[in-house]
Each structure stands twice: as C-alpha cells, then as structure tokens.
Amino acid sequence: MKKYIYADKFFLKSSTKGPGYLAIEDGAFGDYMSELSDEERRYEIIDYSGKWIAPGLVDTHIHGFMGHDVMDNDPEGLKIMSEALLSCGVTSFLPTTLTSSK
C-alpha cells in the first residue's frame, strides 16, 4: 500500500527540503516530492504540518536514561528507556554495561 507523509521540512541524505511529501510504499521510504499529482492525492496522506522529519538517531553507547540503568538487570527499566529515548529522536541504542563487582 502506498501513502505519503506531508511535513514542513525533510532532512534527506544530502540536503533538506520542504515543505513537501515523502512517499512510503510497502513500509519503505521512497522519493521526496514538493507537489503531488491528482493521482497521487488519491492515496492516504499523513499530515505532519508544522513538523520536521529526520532519520532516527542511533545511540551506540548508553548506560541509562530516565532513572534506569542497564546494569540494573531490569527488563521493565529497559522498556522505559526504549520508549523515553524516542522523545529525543533515538530510534535504536546499544545498552552498554560497565566493569562491576557481582
């Protein structure tokens, strides 16, 4: 299924563009377009007016967040960290341990 995201600004591989539309087809991002044709407007348009769209950040070294520590060995704490990191634009992370006594 094809759809489009509309936003004020898109951070693309080598430039920023906007306002405009970003195609999504079968779960994959496609081309950026400043305008849609009448045929393209038949598809679902997700409206993020006033928003900027950027790739998610990857944190490759994190010990904790939101009062939770990777070393706590607490799956619920990792879940809270995962969800809270999204608010900072982090979409994936490497939970990092440290040398510690048992």
Side-chain angles (χ1 to χ4, degrees):
M1 161 145 316
K2 192 172 197 176
K3 53 185 155 185
Y4 295 92
I5 294 175
Y6 174 83
D8 286 0
K9 185 182 279 190
F10 292 90
F11 291 82
L12 304 173
K13 189 178 280 188
S14 60
S15 65
T16 58
K17 294 187 179 182
Y21 302 86
L22 184 66
I24 303 172
E25 190 162 5
D26 297 325
F29 291 115
D31 294 328
Y32 165 85
M33 292 158 275
S34 58
E35 296 290 330
L36 294 179
S37 69
D38 288 339
E39 182 179 330
E40 291 164 332
R41 289 187 180 279
R42 295 182 314 151
Y43 295 100
E44 178 185 359
I45 298 173
I46 302 165
D47 188 0
Y48 285 112
S49 295
K51 305 289 183 187
W52 294 1
I53 305 296
L57 303 173
V58 178
D59 191 330
T60 61
H61 187 110
I62 186 169
H63 294 281
F65 192 64
M66 297 294 291
H68 297 276
D69 192 299
V70 171
M71 295 292 289
D72 291 341
N73 193 26
D74 176 22
E76 185 61 28
L78 287 174
K79 181 180 178 194
I80 291 168
M81 286 175 57
S82 298
E83 292 171 354
L85 284 166
L86 290 171
S87 70
C88 305
V90 175
T91 57
S92 56
F93 67 97
L94 177 63
T96 308
T97 59
L98 51 98
T99 303
S100 178
S101 64
K102 191 171 183 180

